[in-house]
Amino acid sequence: MGRVTVRRPVLHIKAGEPRRRPDTLAAEEPLEIRVASRPLSVTMRTPGSDVELAHGFLLTEGVITGRDEVAAARFCDSPGPDGRNTYNVLDVALAPGVEPPDPSIERNFYTTSSCGVCGKAALDSVRLRTRHSPAEDPLRLRADVLAELPGKLRAAQRVFDSTGGLHAAGLFDADGSLLAVREDVGRHNAVDKVLGWALMEGRTPLTGGVLMVSGRASFELVQKAAMAGVPMLAAVSAPSSLAVDLAEEQGMTLVGFLRGQSMNVYTGTQRVVTEIS
């Protein structure tokens, strides 16, 4: 798995008995995203799918709307203490005619693995308006199909099995089939990676798609889903009040506490089909 995981020695204590053994950790390293050689963002992420991460980030921040707006993405030389390239700096070249990010916008793009929206200058700066509004999306999904998604997502989390320390984001179609899954120490990075995959595959806007996340549903994850045209966001844990407000504003279906056959549908209830619908 390369730098996706790291082995470290630990003192393991069980039933009072100490034992030294190796443990597998999820790797966490900084990734600097540049546009036309100009630094735009630094995010703490699990290495892997970095080009997808950059595409997803630029999509969800409103810099690009389609894969044709990126001409190239390449890693820059960023040597570590051993002199080898760390592959922690990625430079994106936009296609001719695509406007670069406005440097006059006061926005701090430094993010951490726990909160991608930390450091934003103001709430208005993250309430981005999508060009792929999900409001009119005709998606309808049976509740029993929706209830199966957490198990399918968990079964596809390969790195989680060895580390127990990664978030996951998966894209599903209306039949509940898994299209793609990505893992990362940051929930927002996992979402950017899987949405970046969709962008690069020419699948955006994600009409008729479901984005499933392994943790809670924050404001920023709703924003990212809306920017990709996702009509339904489902989470195994709780949404925030602002996430519910934004989902309602965008015409998105937001599902939380999706565990077993139980779930809360906070907005867009018309898209979830039940026996009494």
Side-chain angles (χ1 to χ4, degrees):
M1 295 180 182
R3 291 187 298 134
V4 175
T5 60
V6 176
R7 299 281 281 178
R8 289 287 187 271
V10 299
L11 176 65
H12 178 68
I13 302 173
K14 184 176 182 179
E17 293 293 327
R19 182 167 65 94
R20 294 194 176 275
R21 71 178 192 185
D23 190 39
T24 302
L25 306 177
E28 182 177 27
E29 297 183 14
L31 175 68
E32 179 179 304
I33 299 174
R34 299 177 181 176
V35 174
S37 301
R38 185 186 182 97
L40 177 66
S41 167
V42 176
T43 186
M44 302 303 296
R45 98 302 188 194
T46 299
S49 303
D50 290 331
V51 174
E52 293 175 348
L53 171 58
H55 277 73
F57 178 82
L58 295 177
L59 170 68
T60 59
E61 291 293 341
V63 178
I64 62 173
T65 60
R67 60 179 175 176
D68 294 340
E69 296 181 11
V70 174
R74 65 178 183 84
F75 285 100
C76 303
D77 187 28
S78 53
D82 59 0
R84 297 181 180 180
N85 195 348
T86 62
Y87 296 97
N88 284 340
V89 179
L90 185 69
D91 192 18
V92 177
L94 300 179
V98 179
E99 290 292 328
D102 186 353
S104 68
I105 297 176
E106 186 182 357
R107 182 182 295 169
N108 179 2
F109 273 121
Y110 181 81
T111 59
T112 71
S113 60
S114 61
C115 177
V117 80
C118 296
K120 300 286 188 176
L123 182 59
D124 288 344
S125 71
V126 294
R127 195 180 285 275
L128 303 178
R129 187 164 299 278
T130 178
R131 302 180 201 179
H132 307 303
S133 174
E136 302 304 320
D137 195 302
L139 170 70
R140 286 174 64 82
L141 193 69
R142 297 201 325 268
D144 60 323
V145 173
L146 189 55
E148 295 174 353
L149 301 192
K152 292 180 179 179
L153 181 65
R154 176 64 184 84
Q157 290 185 252
R158 295 181 302 166
V159 184
F160 183 89
D161 286 337
S162 59
T163 66
L166 290 181
H167 294 283
L171 286 173
F172 295 84
D173 63 18
D175 295 324
S177 298
L178 179 63
L179 303 176
V181 63
R182 294 293 182 268
E183 295 178 275
D184 199 277
V185 288
R187 58 174 60 88
H188 59 288
N189 289 334
V191 169
D192 277 342
K193 285 179 178 181
V194 79
L195 295 182
W197 169 86
L199 178 78
M200 296 177 71
E201 291 292 316
R203 290 176 174 265
T204 53
L206 280 158
T207 305
V210 181
L211 175 62
M212 177 79 215
V213 296
S214 61
R216 61 185 176 86
S218 64
F219 170 89
E220 188 189 25
L221 297 194
V222 173
Q223 174 218 310
K224 289 180 179 295
M227 294 297 287
V230 177
M232 184 179 295
L233 172 62
V236 299
S237 192
S240 68
S241 62
L242 201 57
V244 175
D245 290 345
L246 184 61
E248 187 169 47
E249 175 186 305
Q250 294 293 331
M252 183 188 303
T253 299
L254 179 59
V255 181
F257 293 107
L258 180 54
R259 303 169 186 175
Q261 296 297 314
S262 177
M263 67 192 76
N264 289 345
V265 184
Y266 293 88
T267 63
T269 58
Q270 76 281 359
R271 292 195 178 99
V272 180
V273 181
T274 67
E275 293 181 357
I276 60 174
S277 295

